[in-house]
């Protein structure tokens, strides 16, 4: 039954769509044919090659070159794309309300003058690939009613009554028809750019896929953002006004443009545009200067406004558009970092290696035995790589220094040598490694100079880069010192003085007892501190590693002191199969601020505690002795008057 219903519905839909197709297709074809019959022009109005507009004795001529239109007369200049497109659309889709021939009006005793066509107010002529001979159109007066006008197609001798839209699109002044843009090559199409200020060196940039490179006067990386911004600024230039060729100052301006202030060239896909910029004529309070300019190969002079920032960039293009980054690499492609000091070989050598699982390890060569490895903190290594990737030149000191200059910069024996090993399988760079030398010149000069191996350039960089590339392994050592797995329990906790004479807290959990139950009787602040302390012991972290051995005494505020406190805890592994040996931490007296030194004999190091651990220890060790915030003397209650005792 359902199959019969489904088939019936399918047949009904087929019948419905067939009726729509056969009946509506005929109506649509009829409407299209009617619209075509009402069109004034046919194929001759498509793909126009030239346009000529004459009004009041003045003629504007436009020609098409590819997809662009240009004014040919009375001046050579790109045409306004939107204005020309409007004219083309009006011609192609122009429809008449009615039409009649010139012979018909003559038989009725009328003439072209009756329609304003004896002396038309506008004359349009155009050619296209379909009509090599020009099609001439004359526009006459308005009709008596209906906001229409008379249009004569001279070639056919027919007068059409049409709307005013075509006449409105043709009634444009020269200033409206010409484009106000200077450069027509968009940023995405620009393949190279050349900038020259006065008689200085020409600075040439070339796009290399998604990057930009300086090709002259030196070969170096260009700053992608800065290069595209300056090209975008040049594309944004607008004509502030055209200079009449009969202007008495025109000859002087042309002479000045033989030695332009700026010569700016953009090259795109098989086209090139060069702008010659003359001296500034005036500068306003905002630093915007007006210049007379000319496009190379064109006679027309015009005025443009240049912002102060753009002028400065163009004047110093070799420096302003150069990539200030010293090293060109992606941190994700680095597999090893080697740090050494040729100037101080006694400091040893430090290598950070990325393992196959993505973690990092420290490889140390101190000269006191074979290499040793330690886990490195990935966040600290990533921070080092980020600082190296972001390292920028403060100054481009020398592009081709002599040997004597290299020695004066301290680069013969650099203070630091940094070598990055790159993964050849994933890195887009053809180099397998990058080496950077950082040097101090000495002689009271605090500057730090940098040079990349294989390049001649010497840069001045920020001195803090030496602090960011230490040779101390403890700086990069893993900060997570202890991380108890799930199911492992801390069963005892004891906080006492280091000599054992004073007990702050000492508790061992009973069987099946939890710390929440054990701490329920403690005062609120003390309970919070102990809860935080236990959490910190489960995942023990160092804020920074201070010393890679555990001493009997520790330096606090410049004084060598014995350890003040001892913190012991015992854990039971998952399943409760056995009790591990106690873990002990020694605590120094508080150093003030965010400093609390803690020593671990088992890990053989001294570290500074993170802030949550500092706060919990403060509450337990010093809270009972804390007098609280000082009282404001002005808010003290007045003393009660008493009689002095004799």
């Amino acid at each position: 039954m359902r199959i019969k219903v489904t088939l019936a519905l399918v047949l009904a839909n087929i019948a419905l769509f067939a009726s729509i197709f056969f009946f509506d297709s005929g109506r649509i074809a009829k409407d299209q044919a009617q619209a075509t019959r009402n069109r004034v022009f046919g194929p001759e109005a498509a793909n126009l090659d030239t346009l000529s507009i004459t009004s009041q004795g003045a003629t504007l001529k436009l020609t098409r070159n590819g997809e662009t239109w240009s004014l040919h007369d009375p001046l050579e200049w790109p045409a306004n794309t939107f204005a020309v497109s409007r004219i083309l659309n009006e011609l192609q889709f122009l429809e008449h309300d009615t039409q009649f021939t010139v012979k018909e009006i003559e038989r009725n005793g009328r003439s072209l003058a009756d329609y304003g066509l004896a002396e038309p107010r506008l004359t349009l002529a155009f050619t296209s690939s379909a009509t090599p001979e020009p099609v001439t159109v004359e526009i006459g007066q308005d009709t008596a009613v209906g906001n229409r006008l008379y249009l004569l197609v001279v070639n056919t001798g027919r007068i059409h009554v049409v709307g005013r839209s075509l006449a409105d699109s043709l009634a444009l002044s020269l200033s409206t028809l010409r484009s106000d843009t200077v450069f027509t090559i968009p940023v995405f199409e620009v393949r190279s750019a050349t900038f020259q200020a006065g008689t200085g060196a020409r600075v040439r940039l070339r796009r290399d896929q998604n990057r930009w490179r300086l090709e002259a006067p030196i070969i170096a990386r260009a700053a992608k953002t800065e290069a595209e911004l300056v090209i975008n600024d040049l594309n944004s230039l607008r004509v502030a006004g055209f200079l009449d060729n009969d202007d008495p100052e025109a000859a002087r301006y042309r002479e000045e443009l033989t030695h332009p202030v700026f010569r700016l060239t953009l090259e795109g896909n098989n086209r090139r545009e060069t702008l010659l910029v003359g001296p500034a004529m005036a500068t306003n309070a905002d630093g915007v200067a007006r210049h007379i300019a000319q496009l190379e190969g064109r006679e027309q002079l015009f005025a443009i406004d240049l912002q102060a920032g753009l002028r400065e960039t163009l004047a110093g293009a070799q420096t302003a558009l150069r990539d200030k980054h010293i090293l060109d690499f992606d941190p994700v492609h680095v597999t090893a970092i080697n740090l050494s000091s040729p100037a101080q070989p006694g400091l040893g050598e430090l290598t950070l290696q990325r393992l196959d699982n993505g973690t990092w390890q420290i490889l140390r060569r101190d000269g006191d035995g074979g290499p040793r490895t330690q886990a490195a903190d990935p966040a600290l290594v990533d921070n080092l790589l980020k600082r190296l990737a972001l390292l920028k030149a403060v100054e481009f000191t020398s592009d081709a220094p002599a040997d004597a200059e290299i020695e004066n910069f301290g680069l013969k024996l650099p203070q630091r040598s940094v070598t990055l090993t790159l993964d050849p399988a994933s890195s887009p760079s053809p180099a397998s490694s990058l080496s950077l030398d950082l040097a101090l010149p000495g002689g009271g000069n605090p500057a730090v100079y940098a040079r990349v191996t294989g390049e001649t350039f010497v840069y001045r960089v920020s001195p803090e880069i030496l602090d960011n590339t230490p040779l101390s392994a403890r700086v990069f050592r893993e900060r997570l010192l202890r991380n108890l797995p799930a199911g492992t329990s801390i069963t005892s906790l004891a906080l006492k003085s280091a000599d054992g004479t004073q007990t702050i807290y000492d508790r061992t959990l009973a069987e099946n007892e939890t710390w929440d139950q054990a701490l329920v009787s403690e005062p609120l602040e003390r309970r919070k501190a102990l809860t935080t302390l236990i959490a910190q012991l489960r995942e023990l972290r160092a804020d920074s590693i201070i010393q890679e051995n555990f001493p009997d005494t520790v330096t606090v505020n410049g004084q060598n002191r014995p350890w003040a406190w001892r913190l012991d805890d015992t854990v039971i592994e998952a399943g409760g199969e056995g009790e591990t040996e106690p873990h002990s931490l020694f605590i120094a007296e508080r150093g003030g601020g965010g400093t609390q030194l803690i020593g671990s004999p088992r890990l053989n190091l001294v570290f500074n505690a993170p802030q949550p651990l500092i706060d919990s220890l403060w509450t337990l060790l010093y809270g009972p002795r804390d007098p609280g915030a000082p009282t404001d003397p002005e808010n003290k209650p007045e003393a009660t008057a008493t009689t002095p005792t004799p």
Side-chain angles (χ1 to χ4, degrees), residues 392-422:
K392 290 186 176 182
V394 177
E395 174 189 73
F396 297 106
T397 306
S398 178
D399 292 328
D403 286 344
E405 292 178 295
I406 293 293
E407 188 167 357
N408 290 336
F409 292 139
L411 288 165
K412 290 287 186 180
L413 283 175
Q415 192 71 23
R416 192 82 75 247
S417 285
V418 182
T419 300
L420 304 178
T421 303
L422 306 177

Side-chain angles (χ1 to χ4, degrees), residues 259-441:
H259 303 286
V261 174
F262 295 113
R263 183 184 185 91
L264 313 171
T265 301
L266 299 182
E267 296 182 48
N269 297 331
N270 300 320
R271 54 179 175 151
R272 171 178 174 171
E273 296 174 343
T274 298
L275 177 67
L276 308 177
V277 182
M281 298 183 294
T283 305
N284 65 18
D286 296 328
V288 179
R290 176 153 294 184
H291 300 254
I292 289 294
Q294 181 183 26
L295 283 168
E296 192 173 60
R298 296 180 184 167
E299 291 295 320
Q300 184 64 46
L301 299 177
F302 53 92
I304 59 171
D305 294 330
L306 293 182
Q307 301 284 343
L310 179 57
R311 295 199 311 272
E312 292 172 2
T313 299
L314 294 172
Q318 181 177 341
T319 300
L321 301 181
R322 186 171 173 180
D323 191 355
K324 293 180 173 59
H325 290 92
I326 309 298
L327 295 170
D328 182 20
F329 74 98
D330 189 337
V332 301
H333 298 141
V334 176
T335 59
I337 309 168
N338 182 268
L339 303 172
S340 64
S341 177
Q344 297 176 285
L347 294 178
E349 186 177 340
L350 179 67
T351 300
L352 301 169
Q353 293 179 328
R354 190 180 70 188
L355 304 179
D356 293 338
N357 59 6
T359 61
W360 288 84
Q361 72 174 9
I362 303 169
L363 179 63
R364 305 173 60 178
R365 298 181 182 89
D366 309 283
D368 58 350
R372 294 182 293 161
T373 60
Q374 290 177 317
D377 191 310
L380 297 174
V381 179
D382 289 344
N383 183 61
L384 171 62
L385 289 172
K386 185 181 296 184
R387 289 179 180 274
L388 290 171
L390 296 177
L391 179 63
K392 290 186 176 182
V394 177
E395 174 189 73
F396 297 106
T397 306
S398 178
D399 292 328
D403 286 344
E405 292 178 295
I406 293 293
E407 188 167 357
N408 290 336
F409 292 139
L411 288 165
K412 290 287 186 180
L413 283 175
Q415 192 71 23
R416 192 82 75 247
S417 285
V418 182
T419 300
L420 304 178
T421 303
L422 306 177
D423 182 1
S426 58
S427 174
S429 172
S432 60
S433 65
L434 290 172
S435 295
L436 172 69
D437 289 337
L438 302 168
L440 290 168

Side-chain angles (χ1 to χ4, degrees), residues 52-60 119-124 139 170-174:
S52 177
I53 305 170
T54 302
S55 176
Q56 299 177 352
T59 300
L60 299 175
E119 294 181 1
R121 55 181 174 177
L122 276 173
T123 300
L124 170 68
I139 296 178
L170 294 173
L172 299 176
S173 63
L174 175 62

Side-chain angles (χ1 to χ4, degrees), residues 135-150:
V135 176
T136 302
V137 180
E138 296 177 346
I139 296 178
Q141 67 187 20
D142 295 345
T143 59
V145 294
N147 196 27
R148 299 287 190 270
L149 51 79
Y150 297 104

